[in-house]
């Protein structure tokens, strides 16, 4: 998705204006998973006071994250299979900036393109600092292990039975050195022995985003799924699926959703049909220009036609095209 060379970091990547859906196209393949490494980038300076902004003499070409162009990406924080809901007022900049002005460096908005879309402006920050700017969330690295705090509970990757991983896209990163860039998709996953489930039913979460809009936002749509093996229940869990009996593939799960069909073309590229009326409806081809379709089990790309859902899986399907209406 990005490299960390200085030349690229001087280029501002402002969000482009989207126009009416006229065809759907591809931004490229997923990166291969790589071992966790520390970047050679120096940690961004945090010496300025929270209310200080970029120097008045700075130009857009010189300063990534300049106030006139916000940076955006997506952040998933998952605790034992439950995804933190960032579409809550306590995470919105407008509600917390007066008390915590430094949150302008990493925050969420009520008017964001999607429920997991973060925003950055005024200063480039490490991902460690970004996480620590969010209310109720803490991050540190201790003896090489990730330590995450959420709503007063601490999860230490060094503890037996606790696994904590941090990815940008499919790449493991060190949040203490990695600096946030425009378009970054982050996934912080915490899994504990206490959070493991057992029994004949498999369950997990399925998140489907089409042009930055979350399907099943209210929960009712997915509950219309009616199959013998795969369903969503009226249990207050909007994105939680249940699979009884023989496991189903991701493609079969997607095919059970109202107005949705997933398939692959002759070359094996993703094709996603969304059969609703309105701006988002249409057929999206990953092989075409300017369209991106990601299908991942957490941070790992999977083939929906062969990957069978396992207990605890969190599947994210991201479909986006630049040839689409402006979602502001």
């Amino acid at each position: 998705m990005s490299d960390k060379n200085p030349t690229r970091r001087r280029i501002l990547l402002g969000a482009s204006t989207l126009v009416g859906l006229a065809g759907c196209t591809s931004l490229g393949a997923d990166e291969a998973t790589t071992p966790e490494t520390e970047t050679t980038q120096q940690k961004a300076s945090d010496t300025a006071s929270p209310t200080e902004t970029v120097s008045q003499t700075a130009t857009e070409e010189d300063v990534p994250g300049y106030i006139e162009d916000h940076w955006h990406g997506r952040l998933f924080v998952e605790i034992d299979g439950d995804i933190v809901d960032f579409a809550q007022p306590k995470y919105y900049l407008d509600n917390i900036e007066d008390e915590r002005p430094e949150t302008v460096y990493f925050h969420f908005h009520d008017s964001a393109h999607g429920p997991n879309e973060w925003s950055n402006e005024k200063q480039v920050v490490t991902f460690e600092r970004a996480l620590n700017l969010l209310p109720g969330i803490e991050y540190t690295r201790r003896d090489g292990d990730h330590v995450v705090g959420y709503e007063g509970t601490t999860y230490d990757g060094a503890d037996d039975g606790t696994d904590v991983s941090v990815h940008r896209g499919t790449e493991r990163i060190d949040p203490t050195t990695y600096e946030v860039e425009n378009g970054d998709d982050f996934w912080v996953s915490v899994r504990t022995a206490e959070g493991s489930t057992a029994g004949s039913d498999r369950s997990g979460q399925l998140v489907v985003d089409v042009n930055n809009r979350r399907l099943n936002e209210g929960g009712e749509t997915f509950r219309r799924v009616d199959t013998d093996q795969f369903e969503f229940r009226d249990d207050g869990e909007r994105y939680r699926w249940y699979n009884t009996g023989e496991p189903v593939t991701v493609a079969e799960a997607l095919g059970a959703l109202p107005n949705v069909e997933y398939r692959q073309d002759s070359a094996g590229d993703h094709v996603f049909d969304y059969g609703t009326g309105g701006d988002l409806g249409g057929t999206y081809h990953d092989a075409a220009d300017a369209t991106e379709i990601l299908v991942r089990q957490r941070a790992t790309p999977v083939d929906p036609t062969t990957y069978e859902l396992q207990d605890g899986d969190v599947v994210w399907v991201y479909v986006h095209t630049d040839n689409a209406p402006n979602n502001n």
Side-chain angles (χ1 to χ4, degrees):
M1 293 173 63
S2 67
D3 56 28
K4 304 295 292 180
N5 68 72
T7 300
R8 183 186 182 282
R9 291 186 55 77
R10 287 197 294 270
I11 301 174
L12 258 181
L13 301 175
S16 60
T17 302
L18 304 178
V19 296
L21 184 62
C24 306
T25 56
S26 171
L27 298 182
D30 295 324
E31 308 98 329
T33 303
T34 58
E36 182 165 1
T37 57
E38 296 187 9
T39 99
T40 56
Q41 284 289 334
Q42 295 298 315
K43 185 174 180 179
S45 172
D46 295 339
T47 56
S49 68
T51 55
E52 283 183 328
T53 63
V54 175
S55 167
Q56 296 298 313
T57 60
T59 66
E60 293 184 15
E61 290 75 22
D62 293 330
V63 183
Y66 190 72
I67 186 172
E68 292 182 2
D69 264 303
H70 299 174
W71 280 5
H72 302 279
R74 283 155 294 276
L75 169 63
F76 294 88
V77 175
E78 173 210 346
I79 311 292
D80 281 331
D82 292 325
I83 295 175
V84 173
D85 181 10
F86 288 118
Q88 299 182 72
K90 67 179 180 179
Y91 296 114
Y92 297 156
L93 179 64
D94 289 346
N95 297 330
I96 58 180
E97 186 176 17
D98 287 346
E99 182 178 346
R100 304 173 60 181
E102 68 276 10
T103 56
V104 72
Y105 304 147
F106 195 86
H107 54 270
F108 291 84
H109 285 292
D110 186 21
S111 59
H113 291 143
N116 293 86
E117 184 185 63
W118 56 260
S119 295
N120 160 260
E121 52 191 284
K122 295 191 178 183
Q123 186 178 105
V124 177
V125 295
T126 64
F127 188 48
E128 174 189 35
R129 189 176 186 204
L131 289 173
N132 283 301
L133 288 171
L134 299 176
I137 295 177
E138 298 176 340
Y139 174 86
T140 188
R141 193 162 188 185
R142 185 181 304 144
D143 296 328
D145 293 301
H146 303 299
V147 181
V148 173
Y150 177 63
E151 300 296 350
T153 301
T154 299
Y155 304 92
D156 191 334
D159 292 344
D160 290 340
T162 298
D163 179 74
V164 182
S165 63
V166 181
H167 286 78
R168 165 211 165 259
T170 58
E171 171 194 10
R172 290 181 180 268
I173 61 169
D174 178 356
T176 65
T177 57
Y178 183 85
E179 293 180 339
V180 171
E181 291 189 357
N182 187 62
D184 280 346
D185 294 336
F186 296 108
W187 198 297
V188 180
S189 175
V190 176
R191 305 184 75 181
T192 69
E194 291 78 7
S196 300
T197 59
S200 59
D201 281 2
R202 288 170 290 276
S203 69
Q205 291 198 325
L206 174 62
V207 176
V208 182
D209 293 332
V210 178
N211 279 332
N212 297 315
R213 292 183 184 171
R214 178 69 45 83
L215 306 191
N216 192 37
E217 194 62 70
E220 295 82 3
T221 305
F222 283 14
R223 288 202 293 271
R224 295 207 299 269
V225 171
D226 184 16
T227 74
D228 292 335
Q229 294 174 257
F230 182 79
E231 65 177 341
F232 293 81
R233 297 173 182 170
D234 190 7
D235 56 5
E237 298 282 346
R238 290 181 295 181
Y239 310 115
R240 182 161 296 281
W241 55 262
Y242 296 88
N243 175 205
T244 303
E246 293 297 318
V248 298
T249 65
V250 173
E252 290 171 333
L254 291 173
L257 302 182
N259 304 316
V260 169
E261 180 184 349
Y262 171 86
R263 64 185 189 278
Q264 293 181 353
D265 62 20
S266 58
D269 293 309
H270 302 302
V271 180
F272 186 91
D273 289 314
Y274 188 43
T276 185
D279 293 342
L280 301 184
T283 298
Y284 298 80
H285 295 269
D286 193 39
D289 293 334
T291 293
E292 182 178 32
I293 300 178
L294 304 177
V295 183
R296 292 175 175 167
Q297 196 290 107
R298 291 184 170 84
T300 303
V302 296
D303 180 346
T305 64
T306 59
Y307 183 83
E308 295 181 336
L309 292 174
Q310 302 175 40
D311 190 46
D313 278 355
V314 180
V315 176
W316 178 43
V317 180
Y318 177 72
V319 181
H320 186 267
T321 178
D322 286 349
N323 299 320
N326 191 331
N327 290 337
N328 284 317

